[in-house]
Amino acid sequence: MRSYNRQADQMRPISFTRNYLMHPEGSVLVCYGNTKVIVTASVEMGVPRWLKGQGKGWVTAEYGMMPRATGTRTQREAAKGKQSGRTQEIQRLIGRSLRAMIDLEKLGEITIVVDCDVIQADGGTRTASISGAAVALIDALEWLQRNKKLSQDPLIGLVAAVSVGMKDGKALLDLDYAEDSSCDTDLNVVMSQAGGFIEIQGTAEQKPFTRAESETMLSYAEKGIEQIIKAQQAALGW
Amino acid sequence: MRSYNRQADQMRPISFTRNYLMHPEGSVLVCYGNTKVIVTASVEMGVPRWLKGQGKGWVTAEYGMMPRATGTRTQREAAKGKQSGRTQEIQRLIGRSLRAMIDLEKLGEITIVVDCDVIQADGGTRTASISGAAVALIDALEWLQRNKKLSQDPLIGLVAAVSVGMKDGKALLDLDYAEDSSCDTDLNVVMSQAGGFIEIQGTAEQKPFTRAESETMLSYAEKGIEQIIKAQQAALGW
Amino acid sequence: MRSYNRQADQMRPISFTRNYLMHPEGSVLVCYGNTKVIVTASVEMGVPRWLKGQGKGWVTAEYGMMPRATGTRTQREAAKGKQSGRTQEIQRLIGRSLRAMIDLEKLGEITIVVDCDVIQADGGTRTASISGAAVALIDALEWLQRNKKLSQDPLIGLVAAVSVGMKDGKALLDLDYAEDSSCDTDLNVVMSQAGGFIEIQGTAEQKPFTRAESETMLSYAEKGIEQIIKAQQAALGW
Amino acid sequence: MRSYNRQADQMRPISFTRNYLMHPEGSVLVCYGNTKVIVTASVEMGVPRWLKGQGKGWVTAEYGMMPRATGTRTQREAAKGKQSGRTQEIQRLIGRSLRAMIDLEKLGEITIVVDCDVIQADGGTRTASISGAAVALIDALEWLQRNKKLSQDPLIGLVAAVSVGMKDGKALLDLDYAEDSSCDTDLNVVMSQAGGFIEIQGTAEQKPFTRAESETMLSYAEKGIEQIIKAQQAALGW
Amino acid sequence: MRSYNRQADQMRPISFTRNYLMHPEGSVLVCYGNTKVIVTASVEMGVPRWLKGQGKGWVTAEYGMMPRATGTRTQREAAKGKQSGRTQEIQRLIGRSLRAMIDLEKLGEITIVVDCDVIQADGGTRTASISGAAVALIDALEWLQRNKKLSQDPLIGLVAAVSVGMKDGKALLDLDYAEDSSCDTDLNVVMSQAGGFIEIQGTAEQKPFTRAESETMLSYAEKGIEQIIKAQQAALGW
Amino acid sequence: MRSYNRQADQMRPISFTRNYLMHPEGSVLVCYGNTKVIVTASVEMGVPRWLKGQGKGWVTAEYGMMPRATGTRTQREAAKGKQSGRTQEIQRLIGRSLRAMIDLEKLGEITIVVDCDVIQADGGTRTASISGAAVALIDALEWLQRNKKLSQDPLIGLVAAVSVGMKDGKALLDLDYAEDSSCDTDLNVVMSQAGGFIEIQGTAEQKPFTRAESETMLSYAEKGIEQIIKAQQAALGW
């Protein structure tokens, strides 16, 4: 039996709480079941040095996990003095995914920094982060528009992400922690609102997967992402 | 006029939400007005190497601020690769304060690690952290007792903390960010449930303060802390 | 026209030079066209602390790029004092891929550390590293066997890797640097000798890709990997 | 019996040796009994980037301890690669204290960096550092005046610092190491020449202290600081 | 018997392979027997900040060892997060030696960064690096000339380096690893093409050496360096 | 005219003040003219992990410079987070030199850590450090003997060090900062009490030096070191 009594191709309950914090231009609490991530989008006028003078903007992401987001305490990366390979891999993934939402030329010399801080982890923290960040990013764009910082609309469209896995020969959508730890294959998929693939990252944890399994997993992902995008749109009042 | 329409010797609204997260042995969301801190208490059987074999326990604290807890984004310490002097000063203060709650001999060879993560900052993050951590620590002790890990009760009593300031010759209790930035003196006070002083840290930001001002500020602090301890007790159902 | 006058579904010339260095238990110079990587496999008796006492072995990988492997000089990571996110992402990918070659239980408490050092980069350094490392790992296993360190054969089979991309609506196998920099989608695929997928990492660099494009890319990858595995086998004299 | 045969409210012998080194604009060897600190004040024309263009100056402090200033060797912070929380806390305290001596607007865009290096530690290294630094800072101001770098006199007045403790219910002024290690409360006090409080940092090491004890300790501190300021003035020939 | 059947005052076979890599302005594979170092010289227009505006150029060097250049695996410095004292000592030595080849005033505001990466170590890696770097540097100068970046010829002449040791009272030229590990004294000598000494670094590993031994070692070094310079010249077609 | 009115082959006034600090087993203030270094020798029972169980001792050295030992302030290495290449090179040199004084087998499993902290720099800080450390090391050995920690006498003899330079074709003994900055060649020499060479490190700063110049410099060094050893012996009361 899966958590929340769900079928193999069903998502956990998902929610997006906008304006979760008072300071950021965009802030969202995103929940995929028990996985909870605070996402903020911060506007900074100007761009990093390597991009200066090209008239283009930049979107970047950072990811962190509170030490006790997990079942046993994880050492604080600020105390260790460096971010783990996993953290860097995830924040690179989030950044690339969000840049697919924005026409950087139209954004102009503005940077949007997205921070995803996991306060409770139960599987799918990177996919929840991406979907939540998409909403926070929209709010930051609206802030820019309200404050007359944009001359054109740089938005291409939403993105959303979900994980799929193979366990005992069966595909499962939106893995929770227990499923993620025991599955044979773990596939993270990021898609655009228009239905195109942005990122596919599949890893055979136990044994190689087949072409057919890959097909099934992608179909499940498409189904899940369609539903997530509806929830994002509802939260945004679109 | 002060925020929340309050008098010079009044606290902001304070709240303690216990069991805020699913994984930790103790977890509390503490609010002092708009200042919001997630505090967790994690039990680790065993003690740090330097304490091994002495039959004593240890309580330590770490402190962090989410990058967008503040009005403008603060660089993530994990990305910078080190904790600021301010962070280290605060976590040392929190740790010392919490150790005053516990008879470490009676705790036995157990470590409790408290994490204070500020998700929204509006002045008083260190004092809110201490007061919230006291509650989370109690929950962790109860977890230890429920799980038969303690042979004696190591609790001495609660601690709580509040800031007081001098502004234009007038004392103010529980400074918010605007007051904190503009006051002449900033005094953080940590007290025990029994009314003793654990820590006093007073800093003249603009001009030196007098013995009499110090007296007034300490009286305000006593008043505030009495009220905080009542709120802690209410949250704990004592 | 592609480099080496090749068709869209053709590999660059590939080669594996075994015993490239005198000290390591396994060492291979792998070339994919102008991309050249020195791969070594080092045997260390014993396992990392977190794995001790479980009777299992470990395979891990590190990746580096000589400063002038690239068209303009890249700062030395040892001088910067940390490995980039890209480096960590790649070495995690190589490590996972190689662990799919080995039954760690049968390896016993032995660690094999694979080092991939790129001396000349022209696209596909991570895929060349994986394919070369597979050969070096076999040599290290043979060294272990010759030296009577193994009680059973831990080898599951070879793995190999290749990149595929979409450019102007057309799939291209084994991208060189010029193609990699200008393509719309970049997909890295790792497969087992038996034809199963170990890793799929696809990224839409410019615009999202479709399900059909994903299918074509995977087919090209299968074709390329079949050829690489033949070259590995030839090098190994299998 | 206290060291140097002194009463509870007596200081250890204190001394300030000016022009201790040949290179710095101000340099002082300060001794509080066996505690010996070399303090230098270095003038740097210009201010840190964050202060540029505001016409204001800056005073900052760094603190270090020679590895064998202590009874057993302490690891060199330069070798560990980071400054401890204690070090950072102390140098922040020294910096704040010294900035209370100077009208930064009148200083103009000049930075004075104070370095306090403990060559022998026997309790009170931070308070000795502050009192010594006050003298070195005056010498640096005089150097600036002699070299016509100042258009106005930025000096507000001297500061001095001392520790007080509670031990077995009795207050003790100017704790040496043995007293500091065994006392119940440790209070560091920084005051201005005019008798105002700059910093009060009280910590209950063993058990909470009372309002009355705090009063006694502050009175002792006032007495000690009066004497230190006289010694500073004598050293300066005021 | 020495390796390669050589006399006490004979070098191992040495070789310089120019244009070893496709990207760098100068690149050489240098071998002293089994010691193999890839040396590259990278041209960067402009100079480090501290040298700006003086019309002078700069030559600097970095040194690294691939983890399995050695008999047992050495930890990767990029993974450790810092370069060892040995590495820094060597790269400082290489840099100083190469700057003796060039009139920096005539070079103009151009930087040449030399990277020496040891792929196989068997004694003499620093001396082989210097001799190989001298050739790569010449190639970089020629690249500058071909590309009309130089207004004058900044070359002073070649430099070359060799080690000499004392073992059981006997001098030995060009120590391999086995000799280096067991000798009493190790002397590294860098000389100019014109026969002057650039660097002499002698260390008594086991017992002090005498004036007379120093004389013999220097004579051996002169002999070896003469031969190395001939090989450099042959490789350069001079 | 040289400082202190001295001839080309004369030393600056040198002095060794023993028992300079209260805590260390050996402590010396060494002065070579205006160059002043505090040297301490700390005894630690036991040896580093890599030496355990071999019955041998260890002697190691660390070197630091107070920020304002120099004419302009040098950034504190503890604040930068790493020791410079120069610092590491010097502490490696000091360590090797001191190990030539001691039969490590006879020392047994004891470590002596020598710290050299330059409080005032005027040329020759590394050579003064070595000569001063030799005296502090003797005092630490005597402490070990008084405390019955040694079963045999591990002392081989004193070492001492001095710099020599070539300036305008003339050799100069014991360079001060002004000479060191302007000379053509800088040679540091470490010798044993018995007259053997421990270390020779010569660097042509401006132009190569000849065999004959090397001879003259070594003769000057021998003369200087003879005198330093006499001063060490006098300080030790030998």
Side-chain angles (χ1 to χ4, degrees), chain B residues 88-89 92 197 200 202 209 215, chain D residues 88-89 92 197 200 202 209 215:
Chain B
Q88 293 194 56
E89 197 171 297
R92 283 159 59 88
F197 290 96
I200 295 180
F209 55 96
E215 291 308 300
Chain D
Q88 293 194 55
E89 198 172 295
R92 284 160 58 88
F197 291 96
I200 296 180
F209 56 96
E215 291 308 300

mmCIF file with all atom_site columns, all heavy atoms in Angstrom, chain B residues 88-89 92 197 200 202 209 215, chain D residues 88-89 92 197 200 202 209 215:
data_model
loop_
_atom_site.group_PDB
_atom_site.id
_atom_site.type_symbol
_atom_site.label_atom_id
_atom_site.label_alt_id
_atom_site.label_comp_id
_atom_site.label_asym_id
_atom_site.label_entity_id
_atom_site.label_seq_id
_atom_site.pdbx_PDB_ins_code
_atom_site.Cartn_x
_atom_site.Cartn_y
_atom_site.Cartn_z
_atom_site.occupancy
_atom_site.B_iso_or_equiv
_atom_site.pdbx_formal_charge
_atom_site.auth_seq_id
_atom_site.auth_comp_id
_atom_site.auth_asym_id
_atom_site.auth_atom_id
_atom_site.pdbx_PDB_model_num
ATOM 1   N N   . GLN B 1 88  ? 28.456 32.625 14.776 1.00 0.00 ? 88  GLN B N   1
ATOM 2   C CA  . GLN B 1 88  ? 29.150 31.842 15.794 1.00 0.00 ? 88  GLN B CA  1
ATOM 3   C C   . GLN B 1 88  ? 28.902 32.400 17.184 1.00 0.00 ? 88  GLN B C   1
ATOM 4   O O   . GLN B 1 88  ? 28.760 31.655 18.141 1.00 0.00 ? 88  GLN B O   1
ATOM 5   C CB  . GLN B 1 88  ? 30.639 31.818 15.486 1.00 0.00 ? 88  GLN B CB  1
ATOM 6   C CG  . GLN B 1 88  ? 30.908 31.043 14.203 1.00 0.00 ? 88  GLN B CG  1
ATOM 7   C CD  . GLN B 1 88  ? 32.364 30.695 14.040 1.00 0.00 ? 88  GLN B CD  1
ATOM 8   O OE1 . GLN B 1 88  ? 32.940 30.077 14.919 1.00 0.00 ? 88  GLN B OE1 1
ATOM 9   N NE2 . GLN B 1 88  ? 32.956 31.116 12.950 1.00 0.00 ? 88  GLN B NE2 1
ATOM 10  N N   . GLU B 1 89  ? 28.874 33.721 17.277 1.00 0.00 ? 89  GLU B N   1
ATOM 11  C CA  . GLU B 1 89  ? 28.609 34.371 18.552 1.00 0.00 ? 89  GLU B CA  1
ATOM 12  C C   . GLU B 1 89  ? 27.221 33.962 19.050 1.00 0.00 ? 89  GLU B C   1
ATOM 13  O O   . GLU B 1 89  ? 27.036 33.645 20.220 1.00 0.00 ? 89  GLU B O   1
ATOM 14  C CB  . GLU B 1 89  ? 28.668 35.873 18.311 1.00 0.00 ? 89  GLU B CB  1
ATOM 15  C CG  . GLU B 1 89  ? 28.814 36.724 19.529 1.00 0.00 ? 89  GLU B CG  1
ATOM 16  C CD  . GLU B 1 89  ? 29.071 38.179 19.133 1.00 0.00 ? 89  GLU B CD  1
ATOM 17  O OE1 . GLU B 1 89  ? 30.121 38.452 18.503 1.00 0.00 ? 89  GLU B OE1 1
ATOM 18  O OE2 . GLU B 1 89  ? 28.212 39.025 19.445 1.00 0.00 ? 89  GLU B OE2 1
ATOM 19  N N   . ARG B 1 92  ? 27.014 30.225 20.109 1.00 0.00 ? 92  ARG B N   1
ATOM 20  C CA  . ARG B 1 92  ? 27.672 30.031 21.404 1.00 0.00 ? 92  ARG B CA  1
ATOM 21  C C   . ARG B 1 92  ? 26.765 30.506 22.541 1.00 0.00 ? 92  ARG B C   1
ATOM 22  O O   . ARG B 1 92  ? 26.658 29.851 23.582 1.00 0.00 ? 92  ARG B O   1
ATOM 23  C CB  . ARG B 1 92  ? 28.999 30.784 21.431 1.00 0.00 ? 92  ARG B CB  1
ATOM 24  C CG  . ARG B 1 92  ? 30.105 30.074 20.645 1.00 0.00 ? 92  ARG B CG  1
ATOM 25  C CD  . ARG B 1 92  ? 31.245 31.009 20.239 1.00 0.00 ? 92  ARG B CD  1
ATOM 26  N NE  . ARG B 1 92  ? 31.891 31.647 21.360 1.00 0.00 ? 92  ARG B NE  1
ATOM 27  C CZ  . ARG B 1 92  ? 32.912 31.125 22.037 1.00 0.00 ? 92  ARG B CZ  1
ATOM 28  N NH1 . ARG B 1 92  ? 33.414 29.961 21.674 1.00 0.00 ? 92  ARG B NH1 1
ATOM 29  N NH2 . ARG B 1 92  ? 33.459 31.769 23.052 1.00 0.00 ? 92  ARG B NH2 1
ATOM 30  N N   . PHE B 1 197 ? 19.939 35.391 36.525 1.00 0.00 ? 197 PHE B N   1
ATOM 31  C CA  . PHE B 1 197 ? 20.484 35.798 35.234 1.00 0.00 ? 197 PHE B CA  1
ATOM 32  C C   . PHE B 1 197 ? 21.443 34.734 34.716 1.00 0.00 ? 197 PHE B C   1
ATOM 33  O O   . PHE B 1 197 ? 22.318 34.261 35.450 1.00 0.00 ? 197 PHE B O   1
ATOM 34  C CB  . PHE B 1 197 ? 21.227 37.134 35.348 1.00 0.00 ? 197 PHE B CB  1
ATOM 35  C CG  . PHE B 1 197 ? 20.302 38.286 35.600 1.00 0.00 ? 197 PHE B CG  1
ATOM 36  C CD1 . PHE B 1 197 ? 20.066 38.748 36.901 1.00 0.00 ? 197 PHE B CD1 1
ATOM 37  C CD2 . PHE B 1 197 ? 19.630 38.889 34.543 1.00 0.00 ? 197 PHE B CD2 1
ATOM 38  C CE1 . PHE B 1 197 ? 19.195 39.790 37.136 1.00 0.00 ? 197 PHE B CE1 1
ATOM 39  C CE2 . PHE B 1 197 ? 18.752 39.943 34.778 1.00 0.00 ? 197 PHE B CE2 1
ATOM 40  C CZ  . PHE B 1 197 ? 18.529 40.393 36.080 1.00 0.00 ? 197 PHE B CZ  1
ATOM 41  N N   . ILE B 1 200 ? 23.923 38.312 30.274 1.00 0.00 ? 200 ILE B N   1
ATOM 42  C CA  . ILE B 1 200 ? 23.604 39.714 30.031 1.00 0.00 ? 200 ILE B CA  1
ATOM 43  C C   . ILE B 1 200 ? 24.594 40.208 28.992 1.00 0.00 ? 200 ILE B C   1
ATOM 44  O O   . ILE B 1 200 ? 25.800 40.112 29.204 1.00 0.00 ? 200 ILE B O   1
ATOM 45  C CB  . ILE B 1 200 ? 23.794 40.564 31.302 1.00 0.00 ? 200 ILE B CB  1
ATOM 46  C CG1 . ILE B 1 200 ? 22.815 40.149 32.386 1.00 0.00 ? 200 ILE B CG1 1
ATOM 47  C CG2 . ILE B 1 200 ? 23.636 42.027 30.984 1.00 0.00 ? 200 ILE B CG2 1
ATOM 48  C CD1 . ILE B 1 200 ? 22.974 40.980 33.666 1.00 0.00 ? 200 ILE B CD1 1
ATOM 49  N N   . GLY B 1 202 ? 25.179 43.574 26.906 1.00 0.00 ? 202 GLY B N   1
ATOM 50  C CA  . GLY B 1 202 ? 24.752 44.927 26.571 1.00 0.00 ? 202 GLY B CA  1
ATOM 51  C C   . GLY B 1 202 ? 25.791 45.633 25.732 1.00 0.00 ? 202 GLY B C   1
ATOM 52  O O   . GLY B 1 202 ? 26.976 45.565 26.030 1.00 0.00 ? 202 GLY B O   1
ATOM 53  N N   . PHE B 1 209 ? 25.975 53.886 27.983 1.00 0.00 ? 209 PHE B N   1
ATOM 54  C CA  . PHE B 1 209 ? 24.780 53.934 28.814 1.00 0.00 ? 209 PHE B CA  1
ATOM 55  C C   . PHE B 1 209 ? 25.193 54.021 30.284 1.00 0.00 ? 209 PHE B C   1
ATOM 56  O O   . PHE B 1 209 ? 26.326 53.709 30.644 1.00 0.00 ? 209 PHE B O   1
ATOM 57  C CB  . PHE B 1 209 ? 23.858 52.741 28.555 1.00 0.00 ? 209 PHE B CB  1
ATOM 58  C CG  . PHE B 1 209 ? 24.489 51.378 28.697 1.00 0.00 ? 209 PHE B CG  1
ATOM 59  C CD1 . PHE B 1 209 ? 24.372 50.658 29.881 1.00 0.00 ? 209 PHE B CD1 1
ATOM 60  C CD2 . PHE B 1 209 ? 25.177 50.794 27.641 1.00 0.00 ? 209 PHE B CD2 1
ATOM 61  C CE1 . PHE B 1 209 ? 24.935 49.389 30.005 1.00 0.00 ? 209 PHE B CE1 1
ATOM 62  C CE2 . PHE B 1 209 ? 25.738 49.530 27.768 1.00 0.00 ? 209 PHE B CE2 1
ATOM 63  C CZ  . PHE B 1 209 ? 25.614 48.830 28.943 1.00 0.00 ? 209 PHE B CZ  1
ATOM 64  N N   . GLU B 1 215 ? 19.901 49.608 34.941 1.00 0.00 ? 215 GLU B N   1
ATOM 65  C CA  . GLU B 1 215 ? 18.895 49.138 35.917 1.00 0.00 ? 215 GLU B CA  1
ATOM 66  C C   . GLU B 1 215 ? 17.507 49.051 35.293 1.00 0.00 ? 215 GLU B C   1
ATOM 67  O O   . GLU B 1 215 ? 16.799 48.051 35.433 1.00 0.00 ? 215 GLU B O   1
ATOM 68  C CB  . GLU B 1 215 ? 18.840 50.072 37.129 1.00 0.00 ? 215 GLU B CB  1
ATOM 69  C CG  . GLU B 1 215 ? 20.075 50.029 37.995 1.00 0.00 ? 215 GLU B CG  1
ATOM 70  C CD  . GLU B 1 215 ? 20.426 48.619 38.382 1.00 0.00 ? 215 GLU B CD  1
ATOM 71  O OE1 . GLU B 1 215 ? 19.589 47.938 39.031 1.00 0.00 ? 215 GLU B OE1 1
ATOM 72  O OE2 . GLU B 1 215 ? 21.522 48.159 37.996 1.00 0.00 ? 215 GLU B OE2 1
ATOM 73  N N   . GLN D 1 88  ? 36.541 35.141 17.031 1.00 0.00 ? 88  GLN D N   1
ATOM 74  C CA  . GLN D 1 88  ? 35.711 36.102 16.307 1.00 0.00 ? 88  GLN D CA  1
ATOM 75  C C   . GLN D 1 88  ? 34.874 36.928 17.267 1.00 0.00 ? 88  GLN D C   1
ATOM 76  O O   . GLN D 1 88  ? 34.681 38.130 17.061 1.00 0.00 ? 88  GLN D O   1
ATOM 77  C CB  . GLN D 1 88  ? 34.815 35.368 15.324 1.00 0.00 ? 88  GLN D CB  1
ATOM 78  C CG  . GLN D 1 88  ? 35.653 34.737 14.220 1.00 0.00 ? 88  GLN D CG  1
ATOM 79  C CD  . GLN D 1 88  ? 34.814 34.298 13.052 1.00 0.00 ? 88  GLN D CD  1
ATOM 80  O OE1 . GLN D 1 88  ? 34.071 35.091 12.494 1.00 0.00 ? 88  GLN D OE1 1
ATOM 81  N NE2 . GLN D 1 88  ? 34.908 33.046 12.703 1.00 0.00 ? 88  GLN D NE2 1
ATOM 82  N N   . GLU D 1 89  ? 34.385 36.288 18.302 1.00 0.00 ? 89  GLU D N   1
ATOM 83  C CA  . GLU D 1 89  ? 33.600 36.991 19.308 1.00 0.00 ? 89  GLU D CA  1
ATOM 84  C C   . GLU D 1 89  ? 34.458 38.076 19.966 1.00 0.00 ? 89  GLU D C   1
ATOM 85  O O   . GLU D 1 89  ? 34.011 39.209 20.164 1.00 0.00 ? 89  GLU D O   1
ATOM 86  C CB  . GLU D 1 89  ? 33.172 35.948 20.350 1.00 0.00 ? 89  GLU D CB  1
ATOM 87  C CG  . GLU D 1 89  ? 32.037 36.354 21.227 1.00 0.00 ? 89  GLU D CG  1
ATOM 88  C CD  . GLU D 1 89  ? 31.577 35.153 22.068 1.00 0.00 ? 89  GLU D CD  1
ATOM 89  O OE1 . GLU D 1 89  ? 31.083 34.157 21.482 1.00 0.00 ? 89  GLU D OE1 1
ATOM 90  O OE2 . GLU D 1 89  ? 31.737 35.219 23.298 1.00 0.00 ? 89  GLU D OE2 1
ATOM 91  N N   . ARG D 1 92  ? 35.285 41.011 17.556 1.00 0.00 ? 92  ARG D N   1
ATOM 92  C CA  . ARG D 1 92  ? 34.119 41.871 17.376 1.00 0.00 ? 92  ARG D CA  1
ATOM 93  C C   . ARG D 1 92  ? 33.931 42.789 18.594 1.00 0.00 ? 92  ARG D C   1
ATOM 94  O O   . ARG D 1 92  ? 33.633 43.977 18.454 1.00 0.00 ? 92  ARG D O   1
ATOM 95  C CB  . ARG D 1 92  ? 32.866 41.012 17.172 1.00 0.00 ? 92  ARG D CB  1
ATOM 96  C CG  . ARG D 1 92  ? 32.796 40.413 15.756 1.00 0.00 ? 92  ARG D CG  1
ATOM 97  C CD  . ARG D 1 92  ? 31.876 39.201 15.670 1.00 0.00 ? 92  ARG D CD  1
ATOM 98  N NE  . ARG D 1 92  ? 30.513 39.470 16.072 1.00 0.00 ? 92  ARG D NE  1
ATOM 99  C CZ  . ARG D 1 92  ? 29.547 39.909 15.257 1.00 0.00 ? 92  ARG D CZ  1
ATOM 100 N NH1 . ARG D 1 92  ? 29.824 40.110 13.983 1.00 0.00 ? 92  ARG D NH1 1
ATOM 101 N NH2 . ARG D 1 92  ? 28.341 40.114 15.702 1.00 0.00 ? 92  ARG D NH2 1
ATOM 102 N N   . PHE D 1 197 ? 28.955 53.048 30.250 1.00 0.00 ? 197 PHE D N   1
ATOM 103 C CA  . PHE D 1 197 ? 29.187 51.658 29.872 1.00 0.00 ? 197 PHE D CA  1
ATOM 104 C C   . PHE D 1 197 ? 29.174 51.522 28.342 1.00 0.00 ? 197 PHE D C   1
ATOM 105 O O   . PHE D 1 197 ? 28.263 52.030 27.676 1.00 0.00 ? 197 PHE D O   1
ATOM 106 C CB  . PHE D 1 197 ? 28.113 50.743 30.476 1.00 0.00 ? 197 PHE D CB  1
ATOM 107 C CG  . PHE D 1 197 ? 28.231 50.626 31.964 1.00 0.00 ? 197 PHE D CG  1
ATOM 108 C CD1 . PHE D 1 197 ? 27.470 51.422 32.823 1.00 0.00 ? 197 PHE D CD1 1
ATOM 109 C CD2 . PHE D 1 197 ? 29.144 49.731 32.526 1.00 0.00 ? 197 PHE D CD2 1
ATOM 110 C CE1 . PHE D 1 197 ? 27.605 51.330 34.189 1.00 0.00 ? 197 PHE D CE1 1
ATOM 111 C CE2 . PHE D 1 197 ? 29.271 49.629 33.904 1.00 0.00 ? 197 PHE D CE2 1
ATOM 112 C CZ  . PHE D 1 197 ? 28.507 50.444 34.739 1.00 0.00 ? 197 PHE D CZ  1
ATOM 113 N N   . ILE D 1 200 ? 28.728 45.318 28.349 1.00 0.00 ? 200 ILE D N   1
ATOM 114 C CA  . ILE D 1 200 ? 28.616 44.467 29.532 1.00 0.00 ? 200 ILE D CA  1
ATOM 115 C C   . ILE D 1 200 ? 28.336 43.069 29.027 1.00 0.00 ? 200 ILE D C   1
ATOM 116 O O   . ILE D 1 200 ? 27.359 42.862 28.307 1.00 0.00 ? 200 ILE D O   1
ATOM 117 C CB  . ILE D 1 200 ? 27.437 44.899 30.428 1.00 0.00 ? 200 ILE D CB  1
ATOM 118 C CG1 . ILE D 1 200 ? 27.654 46.291 30.990 1.00 0.00 ? 200 ILE D CG1 1
ATOM 119 C CG2 . ILE D 1 200 ? 27.210 43.910 31.538 1.00 0.00 ? 200 ILE D CG2 1
ATOM 120 C CD1 . ILE D 1 200 ? 26.511 46.763 31.885 1.00 0.00 ? 200 ILE D CD1 1
ATOM 121 N N   . GLY D 1 202 ? 27.955 39.418 30.656 1.00 0.00 ? 202 GLY D N   1
ATOM 122 C CA  . GLY D 1 202 ? 27.994 38.565 31.837 1.00 0.00 ? 202 GLY D CA  1
ATOM 123 C C   . GLY D 1 202 ? 27.482 37.180 31.522 1.00 0.00 ? 202 GLY D C   1
ATOM 124 O O   . GLY D 1 202 ? 26.474 37.031 30.854 1.00 0.00 ? 202 GLY D O   1
ATOM 125 N N   . PHE D 1 209 ? 23.176 34.268 38.287 1.00 0.00 ? 209 PHE D N   1
ATOM 126 C CA  . PHE D 1 209 ? 23.532 35.297 39.261 1.00 0.00 ? 209 PHE D CA  1
ATOM 127 C C   . PHE D 1 209 ? 22.334 36.207 39.489 1.00 0.00 ? 209 PHE D C   1
ATOM 128 O O   . PHE D 1 209 ? 21.404 36.264 38.695 1.00 0.00 ? 209 PHE D O   1
ATOM 129 C CB  . PHE D 1 209 ? 24.774 36.076 38.829 1.00 0.00 ? 209 PHE D CB  1
ATOM 130 C CG  . PHE D 1 209 ? 24.702 36.716 37.474 1.00 0.00 ? 209 PHE D CG  1
ATOM 131 C CD1 . PHE D 1 209 ? 24.337 38.051 37.332 1.00 0.00 ? 209 PHE D CD1 1
ATOM 132 C CD2 . PHE D 1 209 ? 25.015 35.998 36.332 1.00 0.00 ? 209 PHE D CD2 1
ATOM 133 C CE1 . PHE D 1 209 ? 24.301 38.655 36.077 1.00 0.00 ? 209 PHE D CE1 1
ATOM 134 C CE2 . PHE D 1 209 ? 24.979 36.587 35.075 1.00 0.00 ? 209 PHE D CE2 1
ATOM 135 C CZ  . PHE D 1 209 ? 24.614 37.921 34.950 1.00 0.00 ? 209 PHE D CZ  1
ATOM 136 N N   . GLU D 1 215 ? 24.967 44.029 40.595 1.00 0.00 ? 215 GLU D N   1
ATOM 137 C CA  . GLU D 1 215 ? 25.289 45.377 41.093 1.00 0.00 ? 215 GLU D CA  1
ATOM 138 C C   . GLU D 1 215 ? 26.698 45.432 41.675 1.00 0.00 ? 215 GLU D C   1
ATOM 139 O O   . GLU D 1 215 ? 27.484 46.337 41.374 1.00 0.00 ? 215 GLU D O   1
ATOM 140 C CB  . GLU D 1 215 ? 24.285 45.794 42.180 1.00 0.00 ? 215 GLU D CB  1
ATOM 141 C CG  . GLU D 1 215 ? 22.894 46.039 41.656 1.00 0.00 ? 215 GLU D CG  1
ATOM 142 C CD  . GLU D 1 215 ? 22.900 47.003 40.487 1.00 0.00 ? 215 GLU D CD  1
ATOM 143 O OE1 . GLU D 1 215 ? 23.356 48.159 40.657 1.00 0.00 ? 215 GLU D OE1 1
ATOM 144 O OE2 . GLU D 1 215 ? 22.483 46.585 39.388 1.00 0.00 ? 215 GLU D OE2 1
#
